[in-house]
């Protein structure tokens, strides 16, 4: 695991506080109901836990000091996991006036159910599943906020058939997709798999539009994210979007296809 300075600082603070109190690691471990080895692990900055942070605050009467350090360390840890470019991309979402989203492999995170999201995240990071899943769910407020952005989502049909989690998880996910397609600001279309090769098979991407800024694009591949800001490169994504959308079924037929796949699970 990469060094996390907040976690190291947590350990230094714990060692300092223990020294100030004049107690040994074993004495502190006995008071907290853990092992001396765990105290040593925390003091070295290798690993910490939320419960231990709360217990330390109670024992030393530090009014949430250790909990706040744990929370900071956790936030930094999650940032290490996110694909490069994604954190910067997230900073733009609250200002977006429209999304053009293409999903070639999986349903986009803005439309995922909690169980679908959890099933995906579990395969890549078992340590931070709850935290990463919660953050993905929080992101979805970006497309349901008061100043509704326009959202166009185009999926390759293979996304609907790819079993993620279990048949029950997929049924719930496809039903959620149908419900999302009924929002006044959201249009969902599907490119049928009998289309054959089309430009969208190059991978997922999202185009963001703003009132006062030029368009941006974001794409991900094999865990590597790329925020695209150069106008000429964003234009290439816009052209690709226009080309692949020409293969998509109309909205009504797309809904019917999603429902058919859902009922077949």
């Amino acid at each position: 695991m990469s060094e996390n300075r907040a976690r190291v600082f947590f350990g230094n603070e714990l060692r300092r506080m223990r020294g100030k109190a004049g107690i040994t690691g074993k004495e502190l471990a006995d008071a907290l109901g853990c092992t001396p080895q765990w105290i040593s692990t925390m003091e070295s900055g290798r690993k910490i836990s939320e419960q231990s942070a709360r217990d330390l605050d109670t024992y030393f009467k530090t009014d949430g000091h250790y909990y706040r350090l744990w929370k900071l360390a956790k936030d930094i840890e999650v940032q290490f996991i996110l694909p490069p470019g994604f954190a910067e991309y997230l900073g733009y979402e609250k200002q977006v006036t429209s999304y053009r989203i293409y999903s070639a492999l999986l349903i986009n995170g803005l439309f995922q159910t909690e169980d679908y999201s959890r099933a995906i995240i579990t395969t890549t990071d078992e340590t931070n599943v709850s935290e990463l899943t919660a953050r993905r769910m929080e992101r979805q407020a970006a497309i349901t906020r008061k100043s509704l952005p326009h959202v166009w989502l185009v999926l390759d049909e293979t996304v609907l058939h790819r079993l993620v989690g279990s048949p029950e998880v997929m049924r719930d996910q496809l039903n959620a997709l149908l419900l999302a397609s009924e929002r006044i600001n959201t249009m969902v279309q599907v490119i049928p798999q009998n289309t054959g090769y089309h430009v969208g098979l190059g991978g997922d991407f999202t185009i963001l539009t703003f009132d006062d800024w030029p368009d941006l694009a974001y794409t991900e591949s094999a865990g590597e994210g790329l925020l695209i800001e150069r106008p000429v490169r964003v234009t290439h994504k816009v052209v690709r979007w226009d080309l692949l959308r020409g293969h998509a079924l109309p909205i009504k037929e797309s809904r019917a296809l999603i429902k058919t796949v859902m009922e077949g699970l």
Side-chain angles (χ1 to χ4, degrees), residues 99-120:
Y99 290 85
R100 281 169 282 181
I101 303 168
Y102 172 65
S103 294
L105 302 172
L106 296 167
I107 291 172
N108 185 273
L110 289 172
F111 292 86
Q112 290 177 7
T113 63
E114 185 171 343
D115 287 340
Y116 184 96
S117 179
R118 186 179 296 275
I120 293 169

Side-chain angles (χ1 to χ4, degrees), residues 174-192:
L174 296 181
N175 185 58
L177 196 59
L178 285 172
L179 293 175
S181 73
E182 295 174 0
R183 298 177 195 147
I184 60 172
N185 69 317
T186 304
M187 286 133 285
V188 177
Q189 293 178 271
V190 179
I191 298 176

Side-chain angles (χ1 to χ4, degrees), residues 120-163:
I120 293 169
I121 292 170
T122 300
T123 65
T124 56
D125 191 312
E126 294 183 355
T127 305
N128 298 284
V129 173
S130 295
E131 180 75 13
L132 290 169
T133 301
R135 289 192 173 208
R136 187 164 294 180
M137 295 302 101
E138 289 169 5
R139 272 189 64 216
Q140 296 182 2
I143 60 173
T144 59
R145 64 182 188 264
K146 188 175 181 180
S147 55
L148 287 174
H150 296 290
V151 185
W152 288 271
L153 172 66
V154 175
L155 309 100
D156 192 88
E157 186 185 343
T158 55
V159 175
L160 308 179
H161 296 282
R162 181 166 290 112
L163 187 64

Side-chain angles (χ1 to χ4, degrees), residues 240-254:
R240 176 165 291 198
W241 168 264
D242 290 339
L243 290 172
L244 68 86
R245 225 187 141 197
H247 295 291
L249 295 171
I251 291 172
K252 185 177 179 180
E253 285 83 346
S254 294

Side-chain angles (χ1 to χ4, degrees), residues 5-21:
R5 291 185 179 181
R7 198 169 61 232
V8 171
F9 184 68
F10 182 107
N12 291 338
E13 281 290 279
L14 174 54
R15 192 181 305 109
R16 180 186 68 80
M17 189 67 77
R18 183 171 61 78
K20 184 178 178 181

